[in-house]
Coordinates of all heavy atoms in Angstrom, one line a residue:
M1 N -68.7 5.6 -90.1 CA -68.6 4.8 -91.3 C -67.3 5.2 -92.0 O -66.9 6.3 -92.0 CB -69.7 5.1 -92.2 CG -71.0 4.4 -91.9 SD -72.0 4.6 -93.4 CE -73.6 4.5 -92.7
A2 N -66.7 4.2 -92.7 CA -65.5 4.4 -93.4 C -65.7 5.4 -94.6 O -64.9 6.2 -94.9 CB -64.9 3.1 -93.9
G3 N -66.9 5.3 -95.2 CA -67.2 6.2 -96.3 C -67.3 7.6 -95.9 O -66.8 8.5 -96.6
D4 N -67.8 7.9 -94.7 CA -67.9 9.2 -94.2 C -66.5 9.8 -93.9 O -66.3 11.0 -94.2 CB -68.7 9.3 -92.9 CG -70.2 9.0 -93.2 OD1 -70.6 9.1 -94.3 OD2 -70.9 8.6 -92.2
A5 N -65.6 9.0 -93.4 CA -64.3 9.4 -93.1 C -63.5 9.7 -94.4 O -62.8 10.7 -94.5 CB -63.5 8.3 -92.3
T6 N -63.7 8.9 -95.4 CA -63.1 9.2 -96.7 C -63.6 10.5 -97.3 O -62.9 11.3 -97.8 CB -63.4 8.0 -97.7 OG1 -62.8 6.8 -97.1 CG2 -62.8 8.2 -99.0
L7 N -64.9 10.6 -97.2 CA -65.5 11.9 -97.7 C -65.0 13.1 -97.0 O -64.6 14.1 -97.6 CB -67.1 11.8 -97.6 CG -67.9 13.0 -98.1 CD1 -67.6 13.2 -99.6 CD2 -69.4 12.7 -97.9
L8 N -64.9 13.0 -95.7 CA -64.4 14.1 -94.9 C -62.9 14.4 -95.3 O -62.6 15.6 -95.5 CB -64.5 13.9 -93.4 CG -64.0 15.0 -92.5 CD1 -64.7 16.3 -92.8 CD2 -64.1 14.5 -91.1
R9 N -62.1 13.4 -95.4 CA -60.7 13.6 -95.8 C -60.6 14.3 -97.2 O -59.8 15.2 -97.4 CB -59.9 12.3 -95.8 CG -59.5 11.9 -94.4 CD -58.4 10.7 -94.5 NE -58.9 9.6 -95.2 CZ -59.6 8.6 -94.8 NH1 -60.0 8.6 -93.5 NH2 -60.0 7.6 -95.6
T10 N -61.4 13.8 -98.1 CA -61.4 14.3 -99.4 C -61.9 15.8 -99.4 O -61.2 16.6 -100.1 CB -62.3 13.5 -100.4 OG1 -61.8 12.1 -100.3 CG2 -62.3 14.0 -101.8
L11 N -62.9 16.1 -98.7 CA -63.4 17.5 -98.6 C -62.3 18.4 -98.0 O -62.1 19.5 -98.5 CB -64.6 17.6 -97.8 CG -65.9 17.1 -98.5 CD1 -67.0 17.0 -97.5 CD2 -66.3 17.9 -99.7
L12 N -61.6 17.9 -97.0 CA -60.6 18.7 -96.4 C -59.4 18.9 -97.4 O -58.8 20.0 -97.4 CB -60.1 18.1 -95.1 CG -61.1 18.1 -93.9 CD1 -60.6 17.3 -92.8 CD2 -61.4 19.5 -93.5
R13 N -59.0 17.9 -98.1 CA -57.9 18.0 -99.1 C -58.3 19.0 -100.2 O -57.5 19.8 -100.6 CB -57.6 16.6 -99.7 CG -56.6 16.7 -100.8 CD -55.2 16.8 -100.3 NE -54.3 16.7 -101.4 CZ -53.3 17.5 -101.6 NH1 -52.9 18.4 -100.7 NH2 -52.5 17.3 -102.6
L14 N -59.5 18.9 -100.7 CA -60.0 19.8 -101.7 C -60.0 21.3 -101.2 O -59.6 22.2 -101.9 CB -61.4 19.4 -102.2 CG -62.0 20.1 -103.3 CD1 -61.1 20.0 -104.6 CD2 -63.4 19.6 -103.6
R15 N -60.5 21.5 -100.0 CA -60.4 22.8 -99.4 C -59.0 23.3 -99.3 O -58.7 24.5 -99.6 CB -61.1 22.8 -98.1 CG -61.3 24.2 -97.5 CD -62.2 24.2 -96.3 NE -61.3 24.6 -95.2 CZ -61.6 24.5 -93.9 NH1 -62.7 23.8 -93.6 NH2 -60.8 24.9 -93.0
H16 N -58.1 22.5 -98.9 CA -56.7 22.9 -98.7 C -56.1 23.3 -100.1 O -55.5 24.3 -100.2 CB -55.9 21.7 -98.1 CG -54.4 21.9 -98.1 ND1 -53.8 22.7 -97.3 CD2 -53.5 21.3 -98.9 CE1 -52.5 22.7 -97.5 NE2 -52.3 21.9 -98.5
L17 N -56.4 22.5 -101.1 CA -55.9 22.8 -102.4 C -56.4 24.1 -103.0 O -55.7 24.9 -103.6 CB -56.2 21.7 -103.4 CG -55.4 20.4 -103.3 CD1 -56.0 19.3 -104.2 CD2 -54.0 20.6 -103.6
T18 N -57.7 24.4 -102.8 CA -58.3 25.6 -103.3 C -57.8 26.8 -102.6 O -58.0 27.9 -103.1 CB -59.8 25.5 -103.3 OG1 -60.3 25.3 -102.0 CG2 -60.3 24.4 -104.2
Q19 N -57.2 26.7 -101.4 CA -56.8 27.9 -100.7 C -55.3 28.2 -100.9 O -54.8 29.2 -100.4 CB -57.1 27.7 -99.2 CG -58.5 27.7 -98.9 CD -58.9 27.4 -97.4 OE1 -58.0 26.9 -96.7 NE2 -60.1 27.6 -97.0
H20 N -54.6 27.3 -101.6 CA -53.2 27.6 -101.9 C -53.0 28.6 -103.0 O -53.8 28.7 -104.0 CB -52.5 26.3 -102.3 CG -51.9 25.5 -101.2 ND1 -52.6 24.6 -100.5 CD2 -50.7 25.6 -100.6 CE1 -51.9 24.1 -99.5 NE2 -50.7 24.7 -99.6
A21 N -52.0 29.4 -102.9 CA -51.7 30.4 -103.9 C -51.3 29.8 -105.2 O -51.6 30.3 -106.3 CB -50.5 31.3 -103.4
A22 N -50.7 28.6 -105.2 CA -50.2 27.9 -106.4 C -51.3 27.0 -106.9 O -51.0 26.0 -107.6 CB -48.9 27.2 -106.1
F23 N -52.5 27.2 -106.6 CA -53.6 26.4 -106.9 C -53.7 26.1 -108.4 O -53.9 24.9 -108.8 CB -54.9 27.0 -106.4 CG -56.2 26.2 -106.8 CD1 -56.4 24.9 -106.3 CD2 -57.1 26.7 -107.7 CE1 -57.5 24.2 -106.6 CE2 -58.2 26.0 -108.0 CZ -58.4 24.7 -107.5
S24 N -53.5 27.1 -109.2 CA -53.7 26.9 -110.7 C -52.6 25.9 -111.2 O -52.8 25.3 -112.2 CB -53.6 28.2 -111.4 OG -52.4 28.8 -111.2
A25 N -51.4 25.9 -110.5 CA -50.4 25.0 -111.0 C -50.6 23.5 -110.5 O -50.0 22.6 -111.0 CB -49.0 25.4 -110.5
Q26 N -51.6 23.3 -109.7 CA -51.9 22.0 -109.1 C -53.2 21.4 -109.7 O -53.9 20.7 -109.0 CB -52.0 22.1 -107.6 CG -50.7 22.6 -106.9 CD -50.9 22.8 -105.4 OE1 -52.0 22.8 -104.9 NE2 -49.8 22.9 -104.7
F27 N -53.4 21.6 -110.9 CA -54.7 21.2 -111.5 C -54.8 19.7 -111.4 O -55.9 19.2 -111.3 CB -54.9 21.7 -112.9 CG -54.0 21.2 -113.9 CD1 -54.3 20.0 -114.6 CD2 -52.8 21.8 -114.2 CE1 -53.5 19.5 -115.6 CE2 -51.9 21.3 -115.1 CZ -52.3 20.1 -115.8
G28 N -53.7 19.0 -111.5 CA -53.8 17.5 -111.5 C -54.2 17.1 -110.1 O -55.1 16.2 -109.9
D29 N -53.7 17.7 -109.0 CA -54.1 17.4 -107.7 C -55.5 17.8 -107.5 O -56.3 17.0 -106.8 CB -53.2 18.1 -106.7 CG -51.8 17.5 -106.6 OD1 -51.6 16.4 -107.0 OD2 -50.9 18.2 -106.0
Q30 N -55.9 18.9 -108.0 CA -57.3 19.4 -107.9 C -58.2 18.4 -108.5 O -59.3 18.0 -108.0 CB -57.4 20.7 -108.5 CG -58.9 21.2 -108.5 CD -59.1 22.4 -109.5 OE1 -58.3 22.7 -110.3 NE2 -60.2 23.1 -109.3
A31 N -57.9 17.9 -109.7 CA -58.7 17.0 -110.4 C -58.9 15.7 -109.7 O -59.9 15.1 -109.6 CB -58.2 16.7 -111.8
G32 N -57.7 15.2 -109.1 CA -57.8 14.0 -108.3 C -58.7 14.1 -107.1 O -59.4 13.2 -106.7
A33 N -58.6 15.3 -106.4 CA -59.4 15.5 -105.2 C -60.9 15.5 -105.6 O -61.8 15.0 -104.9 CB -59.0 16.8 -104.5
H34 N -61.2 16.2 -106.7 CA -62.6 16.3 -107.2 C -63.1 14.9 -107.6 O -64.2 14.5 -107.3 CB -62.8 17.2 -108.4 CG -62.9 18.6 -108.0 ND1 -64.0 19.2 -107.6 CD2 -61.9 19.6 -108.0 CE1 -63.8 20.5 -107.3 NE2 -62.6 20.8 -107.6
A35 N -62.2 14.1 -108.2 CA -62.6 12.7 -108.6 C -62.8 11.9 -107.4 O -63.8 11.1 -107.3 CB -61.6 12.1 -109.5
A36 N -62.0 12.0 -106.4 CA -62.1 11.2 -105.1 C -63.4 11.6 -104.4 O -64.1 10.7 -103.9 CB -60.9 11.4 -104.2
L37 N -63.7 12.8 -104.4 CA -65.0 13.3 -103.8 C -66.2 12.7 -104.6 O -67.2 12.3 -104.0 CB -65.0 14.8 -103.8 CG -66.3 15.5 -103.3 CD1 -66.6 15.0 -101.8 CD2 -66.2 17.0 -103.3
A38 N -66.1 12.8 -105.9 CA -67.2 12.2 -106.7 C -67.4 10.7 -106.5 O -68.5 10.2 -106.3 CB -66.9 12.4 -108.2
I39 N -66.3 10.0 -106.3 CA -66.4 8.5 -106.1 C -67.0 8.3 -104.7 O -67.9 7.4 -104.5 CB -65.0 7.9 -106.2 CG1 -64.6 7.8 -107.7 CG2 -65.0 6.4 -105.6 CD1 -63.2 7.4 -107.9
A40 N -66.6 9.1 -103.7 CA -67.1 8.9 -102.4 C -68.6 9.2 -102.4 O -69.4 8.5 -101.7 CB -66.4 9.9 -101.4
R41 N -69.0 10.2 -103.1 CA -70.4 10.5 -103.2 C -71.2 9.4 -103.9 O -72.4 9.1 -103.5 CB -70.6 11.9 -103.9 CG -70.2 13.0 -102.9 CD -70.5 14.4 -103.5 NE -70.2 15.4 -102.5 CZ -70.2 16.7 -102.8 NH1 -70.4 17.1 -104.1 NH2 -69.9 17.6 -101.9
V42 N -70.7 8.9 -105.0 CA -71.4 7.7 -105.6 C -71.6 6.6 -104.6 O -72.6 6.0 -104.5 CB -70.6 7.3 -106.9 CG1 -71.1 5.9 -107.4 CG2 -70.6 8.3 -108.0
R43 N -70.5 6.3 -103.9 CA -70.6 5.2 -103.0 C -71.5 5.4 -101.8 O -72.1 4.5 -101.2 CB -69.2 4.9 -102.4 CG -68.3 4.3 -103.5 CD -66.9 4.0 -102.9 NE -66.1 3.4 -104.0 CZ -64.8 3.3 -103.9 NH1 -64.1 3.7 -102.9 NH2 -64.1 2.7 -104.9
S44 N -71.8 6.7 -101.5 CA -72.8 7.0 -100.5 C -74.2 7.2 -101.1 O -75.1 7.6 -100.3 CB -72.3 8.3 -99.7 OG -72.5 9.4 -100.5
G45 N -74.3 7.0 -102.4 CA -75.6 7.1 -103.0 C -76.0 8.5 -103.5 O -77.1 8.7 -103.9
D46 N -75.1 9.4 -103.5 CA -75.3 10.8 -103.9 C -74.8 11.0 -105.3 O -73.8 11.7 -105.5 CB -74.7 11.8 -102.9 CG -75.0 13.2 -103.2 OD1 -75.8 13.5 -104.1 OD2 -74.4 14.1 -102.6
V47 N -75.5 10.5 -106.3 CA -75.1 10.6 -107.7 C -75.1 12.1 -108.2 O -74.2 12.5 -108.9 CB -75.9 9.7 -108.6 CG1 -75.5 9.9 -110.1 CG2 -75.8 8.2 -108.2
D48 N -76.1 12.8 -107.7 CA -76.1 14.3 -108.1 C -74.9 15.0 -107.6 O -74.3 15.8 -108.2 CB -77.4 14.9 -107.6 CG -78.7 14.4 -108.3 OD1 -78.6 13.9 -109.4 OD2 -79.8 14.6 -107.7
G49 N -74.6 14.7 -106.3 CA -73.4 15.3 -105.7 C -72.1 14.9 -106.4 O -71.2 15.7 -106.5
A50 N -72.1 13.7 -106.9 CA -70.9 13.2 -107.6 C -70.7 14.0 -108.9 O -69.6 14.4 -109.3 CB -71.0 11.7 -107.9
A51 N -71.8 14.2 -109.6 CA -71.8 14.9 -110.9 C -71.3 16.4 -110.6 O -70.5 16.9 -111.4 CB -73.2 14.9 -111.5
D52 N -71.8 17.0 -109.5 CA -71.4 18.3 -109.2 C -69.9 18.4 -108.9 O -69.3 19.4 -109.3 CB -72.2 18.9 -108.0 CG -73.7 19.2 -108.4 OD1 -74.0 19.4 -109.6 OD2 -74.5 19.3 -107.5
A53 N -69.4 17.4 -108.2 CA -68.0 17.4 -107.8 C -67.1 17.3 -109.0 O -66.0 17.8 -109.0 CB -67.7 16.2 -106.8
L54 N -67.6 16.6 -110.0 CA -66.8 16.4 -111.2 C -66.8 17.6 -112.2 O -66.0 17.7 -113.1 CB -67.2 15.1 -111.9 CG -66.1 14.4 -112.7 CD1 -64.8 14.2 -111.9 CD2 -66.6 13.1 -113.3
K55 N -67.8 18.4 -112.1 CA -68.0 19.5 -113.1 C -66.7 20.3 -113.3 O -66.4 20.6 -114.5 CB -69.1 20.4 -112.7 CG -70.5 19.8 -113.0 CD -71.6 20.8 -112.6 CE -73.0 20.1 -112.9 NZ -74.1 20.9 -112.5
P56 N -66.0 20.8 -112.3 CA -64.8 21.6 -112.6 C -63.7 20.8 -113.4 O -63.0 21.4 -114.2 CB -64.2 21.9 -111.2 CG -65.4 21.7 -110.3 CD -66.2 20.7 -110.9
V57 N -63.6 19.5 -113.2 CA -62.7 18.7 -113.9 C -63.1 18.6 -115.3 O -62.3 18.7 -116.3 CB -62.5 17.3 -113.3 CG1 -61.5 16.4 -114.0 CG2 -62.2 17.4 -111.8
L58 N -64.3 18.3 -115.6 CA -64.8 18.1 -117.0 C -64.8 19.4 -117.7 O -64.8 19.4 -119.0 CB -66.2 17.6 -117.0 CG -66.4 16.2 -116.4 CD1 -67.8 15.7 -116.4 CD2 -65.5 15.2 -117.1
A59 N -64.6 20.6 -117.0 CA -64.4 21.9 -117.7 C -63.0 22.2 -118.1 O -62.8 23.2 -118.7 CB -65.0 23.0 -116.8
L60 N -62.1 21.3 -117.7 CA -60.7 21.6 -118.0 C -60.5 21.6 -119.5 O -61.0 20.7 -120.3 CB -59.7 20.5 -117.4 CG -59.6 20.6 -115.9 CD1 -58.7 19.4 -115.4 CD2 -58.9 21.8 -115.5
P61 N -59.7 22.5 -120.1 CA -59.4 22.5 -121.5 C -58.5 21.3 -121.9 O -57.8 20.8 -121.0 CB -58.6 23.9 -121.7 CG -58.0 24.2 -120.4 CD -59.0 23.6 -119.3
P62 N -58.6 20.9 -123.1 CA -57.8 19.8 -123.6 C -56.3 19.8 -123.2 O -55.7 18.8 -122.9 CB -57.9 19.8 -125.1 CG -59.3 20.4 -125.3 CD -59.4 21.5 -124.2
A63 N -55.7 21.0 -123.2 CA -54.3 21.1 -122.8 C -54.0 20.6 -121.4 O -52.9 20.2 -121.1 CB -53.8 22.5 -123.0
M64 N -55.0 20.6 -120.5 CA -54.8 20.2 -119.1 C -55.3 18.7 -118.9 O -55.3 18.3 -117.8 CB -55.5 21.2 -118.2 CG -55.0 22.6 -118.3 SD -55.9 23.7 -117.3 CE -54.9 23.7 -115.8
R65 N -55.7 18.1 -119.9 CA -56.2 16.7 -119.8 C -55.1 15.7 -119.8 O -55.1 14.8 -120.7 CB -57.3 16.4 -120.8 CG -58.5 17.3 -120.6 CD -59.5 17.2 -121.7 NE -60.5 18.2 -121.6 CZ -61.5 18.3 -122.4 NH1 -61.7 17.5 -123.4 NH2 -62.4 19.3 -122.2
I66 N -54.2 15.8 -118.9 CA -53.0 14.9 -118.9 C -53.5 13.5 -118.4 O -54.6 13.3 -117.9 CB -52.0 15.4 -117.9 CG1 -52.5 15.6 -116.5 CG2 -51.4 16.8 -118.5 CD1 -51.4 16.1 -115.5
N67 N -52.6 12.5 -118.6 CA -52.9 11.1 -118.3 C -53.5 11.0 -116.9 O -54.5 10.2 -116.7 CB -51.7 10.3 -118.5 CG -52.0 8.8 -118.3 OD1 -53.0 8.3 -118.9 ND2 -51.3 8.1 -117.4
G68 N -52.9 11.6 -115.9 CA -53.4 11.4 -114.5 C -54.9 11.9 -114.3 O -55.7 11.3 -113.6
V69 N -55.2 13.0 -115.0 CA -56.5 13.6 -114.9 C -57.5 12.6 -115.6 O -58.6 12.3 -115.1 CB -56.6 15.0 -115.6 CG1 -58.0 15.5 -115.6 CG2 -55.7 16.0 -114.7
V70 N -57.1 12.2 -116.8 CA -58.0 11.2 -117.5 C -58.2 9.9 -116.7 O -59.3 9.4 -116.6 CB -57.4 10.9 -118.9 CG1 -58.2 9.8 -119.6 CG2 -57.4 12.2 -119.8
S71 N -57.2 9.5 -116.1 CA -57.3 8.3 -115.2 C -58.3 8.5 -114.1 O -59.1 7.6 -113.7 CB -55.9 7.9 -114.7 OG -56.0 6.8 -113.8
C72 N -58.2 9.7 -113.5 CA -59.1 10.0 -112.4 C -60.6 10.0 -112.8 O -61.4 9.4 -112.2 CB -58.8 11.4 -111.8 SG -57.3 11.4 -110.8
V73 N -60.9 10.6 -113.9 CA -62.3 10.7 -114.4 C -62.7 9.3 -114.9 O -63.9 9.0 -114.7 CB -62.5 11.8 -115.5 CG1 -62.3 13.1 -114.9 CG2 -61.8 11.5 -116.7
T74 N -61.8 8.5 -115.4 CA -62.2 7.1 -115.8 C -62.6 6.3 -114.5 O -63.5 5.5 -114.6 CB -61.0 6.5 -116.5 OG1 -60.7 7.3 -117.7 CG2 -61.3 5.1 -117.0
S75 N -61.9 6.6 -113.4 CA -62.3 5.9 -112.2 C -63.7 6.3 -111.8 O -64.5 5.4 -111.3 CB -61.3 6.2 -111.1 OG -60.0 5.7 -111.4
V76 N -64.1 7.5 -111.9 CA -65.4 8.0 -111.6 C -66.4 7.3 -112.6 O -67.5 6.9 -112.1 CB -65.5 9.5 -111.7 CG1 -67.0 10.0 -111.4 CG2 -64.6 10.2 -110.7
H77 N -66.1 7.2 -113.8 CA -66.9 6.5 -114.8 C -67.2 5.1 -114.3 O -68.4 4.7 -114.3 CB -66.2 6.5 -116.2 CG -67.1 6.0 -117.3 ND1 -67.4 4.7 -117.5 CD2 -67.7 6.7 -118.3 CE1 -68.2 4.6 -118.6 NE2 -68.4 5.8 -119.1
R78 N -66.2 4.4 -113.9 CA -66.4 3.0 -113.4 C -67.3 3.0 -112.2 O -68.2 2.2 -112.0 CB -65.1 2.3 -113.1 CG -64.4 1.8 -114.3 CD -63.2 0.9 -113.9 NE -62.2 1.5 -113.1 CZ -61.2 2.3 -113.5 NH1 -61.0 2.5 -114.8 NH2 -60.4 2.8 -112.6
A79 N -67.1 4.0 -111.2 CA -67.9 4.0 -110.0 C -69.3 4.3 -110.3 O -70.2 3.8 -109.7 CB -67.3 5.1 -109.1
L80 N -69.6 5.1 -111.3 CA -71.0 5.4 -111.7 C -71.8 4.2 -112.2 O -73.0 4.2 -112.3 CB -71.0 6.6 -112.7 CG -70.7 8.0 -112.1 CD1 -70.4 8.9 -113.3 CD2 -71.8 8.5 -111.3
S81 N -71.0 3.2 -112.6 CA -71.7 2.0 -113.1 C -72.5 1.3 -111.9 O -73.4 0.5 -112.2 CB -70.7 1.0 -113.6 OG -70.0 1.5 -114.7
A82 N -72.2 1.7 -110.7 CA -73.0 1.2 -109.5 C -74.3 1.8 -109.4 O -75.1 1.5 -108.5 CB -72.2 1.4 -108.3
A83 N -74.6 2.8 -110.3 CA -75.9 3.5 -110.2 C -76.7 3.3 -111.6 O -77.0 4.2 -112.2 CB -75.7 5.0 -110.0
P84 N -77.0 2.0 -111.9 CA -77.7 1.8 -113.2 C -79.1 2.4 -113.2 O -79.8 2.4 -112.1 CB -77.7 0.2 -113.3 CG -77.7 -0.2 -111.8 CD -76.8 0.8 -111.1
G85 N -79.5 2.9 -114.3 CA -80.8 3.5 -114.4 C -80.9 4.9 -114.0 O -81.9 5.6 -114.1
S86 N -79.8 5.4 -113.4 CA -79.8 6.8 -113.0 C -79.5 7.7 -114.2 O -78.4 7.6 -114.8 CB -78.7 7.1 -111.9 OG -78.5 8.5 -111.8
P87 N -80.4 8.6 -114.6 CA -80.1 9.5 -115.7 C -78.9 10.4 -115.5 O -78.2 10.7 -116.4 CB -81.4 10.4 -115.9 CG -82.4 9.7 -115.0 CD -81.7 8.8 -114.0
V88 N -78.7 10.8 -114.2 CA -77.6 11.7 -113.9 C -76.3 10.9 -114.1 O -75.3 11.4 -114.6 CB -77.7 12.3 -112.5 CG1 -76.5 13.0 -112.1 CG2 -78.9 13.2 -112.4
A89 N -76.3 9.7 -113.6 CA -75.1 8.8 -113.8 C -74.8 8.6 -115.3 O -73.6 8.7 -115.7 CB -75.3 7.5 -113.1
A90 N -75.8 8.3 -116.1 CA -75.6 8.1 -117.5 C -75.1 9.4 -118.2 O -74.2 9.3 -119.0 CB -76.9 7.7 -118.1
A91 N -75.7 10.5 -117.8 CA -75.2 11.8 -118.4 C -73.8 12.1 -118.0 O -73.0 12.6 -118.9 CB -76.2 12.9 -118.0
T92 N -73.4 11.8 -116.8 CA -72.1 12.1 -116.3 C -71.1 11.2 -117.0 O -70.0 11.6 -117.4 CB -72.0 12.0 -114.8 OG1 -73.0 12.9 -114.2 CG2 -70.6 12.3 -114.3
Q93 N -71.5 9.9 -117.2 CA -70.6 9.0 -117.9 C -70.4 9.4 -119.4 O -69.3 9.4 -119.9 CB -71.2 7.6 -117.9 CG -71.0 6.9 -116.5 CD -71.6 5.5 -116.5 OE1 -72.7 5.3 -116.9 NE2 -70.8 4.5 -116.0
Q94 N -71.5 9.9 -120.0 CA -71.3 10.4 -121.4 C -70.4 11.6 -121.4 O -69.6 11.8 -122.3 CB -72.7 10.8 -121.9 CG -73.5 9.6 -122.3 CD -74.9 10.0 -122.7 OE1 -75.4 11.1 -122.6 NE2 -75.7 9.0 -123.2
A95 N -70.5 12.5 -120.4 CA -69.6 13.7 -120.3 C -68.2 13.3 -120.1 O -67.3 13.8 -120.7 CB -70.1 14.6 -119.2
I96 N -68.0 12.2 -119.3 CA -66.6 11.7 -119.1 C -66.1 11.1 -120.4 O -64.9 11.4 -120.8 CB -66.6 10.7 -118.0 CG1 -66.9 11.3 -116.6 CG2 -65.3 9.9 -117.9 CD1 -67.2 10.4 -115.5
E97 N -66.9 10.4 -121.1 CA -66.4 9.8 -122.4 C -66.0 10.9 -123.4 O -65.0 10.8 -124.1 CB -67.5 8.9 -123.0 CG -67.7 7.7 -122.1 CD -69.0 6.9 -122.4 OE1 -69.7 7.3 -123.4 OE2 -69.4 6.0 -121.6
A98 N -66.8 12.0 -123.5 CA -66.5 13.1 -124.4 C -65.2 13.8 -123.9 O -64.3 14.1 -124.7 CB -67.6 14.1 -124.4
F99 N -65.0 13.9 -122.6 CA -63.8 14.5 -122.0 C -62.6 13.7 -122.4 O -61.6 14.3 -122.8 CB -64.0 14.6 -120.5 CG -62.8 15.1 -119.8 CD1 -62.7 16.5 -119.5 CD2 -61.8 14.3 -119.3 CE1 -61.6 17.0 -118.8 CE2 -60.7 14.8 -118.6 CZ -60.6 16.1 -118.4
C100 N -62.7 12.4 -122.3 CA -61.6 11.5 -122.6 C -61.2 11.4 -124.1 O -60.1 11.0 -124.5 CB -61.8 10.1 -122.0 SG -61.8 10.1 -120.2
H101 N -62.2 11.8 -125.0 CA -61.9 11.8 -126.4 C -61.1 12.9 -126.9 O -60.6 13.0 -128.0 CB -63.2 11.7 -127.2 CG -63.9 10.4 -127.3 ND1 -63.5 9.3 -126.4 CD2 -64.8 9.9 -128.1 CE1 -64.2 8.3 -126.7 NE2 -65.0 8.6 -127.7
A102 N -60.9 13.9 -126.0 CA -60.0 15.1 -126.4 C -59.0 15.3 -125.3 O -58.9 16.3 -124.6 CB -60.9 16.3 -126.5
P103 N -58.0 14.3 -125.2 CA -57.0 14.4 -124.2 C -55.9 15.5 -124.6 O -56.0 16.0 -125.8 CB -56.3 13.0 -124.1 CG -56.6 12.5 -125.5 CD -57.9 13.1 -126.0
A104 N -55.0 15.8 -123.7 CA -54.0 16.7 -124.0 C -53.1 16.2 -125.2 O -52.9 15.0 -125.3 CB -53.1 16.9 -122.8
A105 N -52.7 17.2 -126.0 CA -51.9 16.8 -127.2 C -50.4 16.6 -126.7 O -50.0 17.2 -125.7 CB -51.9 17.9 -128.2
L106 N -49.7 15.8 -127.3 CA -48.3 15.5 -127.0 C -47.5 16.8 -127.4 O -47.8 17.4 -128.5 CB -47.8 14.3 -127.7 CG -48.4 13.0 -127.3 CD1 -47.9 11.8 -128.2 CD2 -48.1 12.7 -125.8
P107 N -46.5 17.1 -126.7 CA -45.7 18.3 -127.1 C -45.0 18.0 -128.4 O -44.6 16.9 -128.7 CB -44.6 18.4 -125.9 CG -45.0 17.4 -124.9 CD -46.1 16.5 -125.4
Q108 N -44.8 19.0 -129.2 CA -44.2 18.9 -130.5 C -42.7 19.1 -130.4 O -42.2 19.8 -129.7 CB -44.8 19.9 -131.4 CG -46.3 19.8 -131.5 CD -46.8 19.0 -132.7 OE1 -46.2 19.0 -133.7 NE2 -48.0 18.4 -132.6

């Protein structure tokens, strides 16, 4: 299945990123990989797994909530709409909304 291939590629990318020495400098890439994994899991019906995949991103401090990161989590929010009635999907969407209300401040 195409979804399985996407999930596998995403997992491999995430593993690659987490093993790099410069991992902390690549938080945008890390967030994107987590978001892609979350979307793949939603599409495969694993809403709980999607929520787990997104937890590290939603834990980012406001200073790291750059536009690309906010865009990634917004994509997950849209994907979760495919799971109406799921309490986990609803809670994750609420967490995403709260995350997006405190984006990174512009440099002074």
Side-chain angles (χ1 to χ4, degrees):
M1 282 194 207
D4 290 341
T6 301
L7 182 60
L8 180 59
R9 280 193 306 275
T10 303
L11 286 170
L12 290 173
R13 175 75 176 141
L14 186 57
R15 189 171 112 197
H16 172 75
L17 286 172
T18 58
Q19 291 175 346
H20 268 89
F23 177 65
S24 62
Q26 299 174 346
F27 69 89
D29 288 342
Q30 175 195 18
H34 279 281
L37 178 58
I39 291 169
R41 287 183 172 170
V42 169
R43 291 180 180 164
S44 70
D46 183 10
V47 177
D48 291 339
D52 287 342
L54 205 57
K55 283 180 183 176
V57 180
L58 297 178
L60 288 174
M64 298 177 94
R65 297 176 189 179
I66 59 174
N67 186 52
V69 172
V70 171
S71 177
C72 288
V73 297
T74 301
S75 295
V76 177
H77 189 285
R78 281 192 303 273
L80 287 165
S81 297
S86 165
V88 173
T92 304
Q93 285 180 312
Q94 289 176 348
I96 291 169
E97 291 163 11
F99 178 89
C100 292
H101 280 18
L106 294 173
Q108 304 262 333

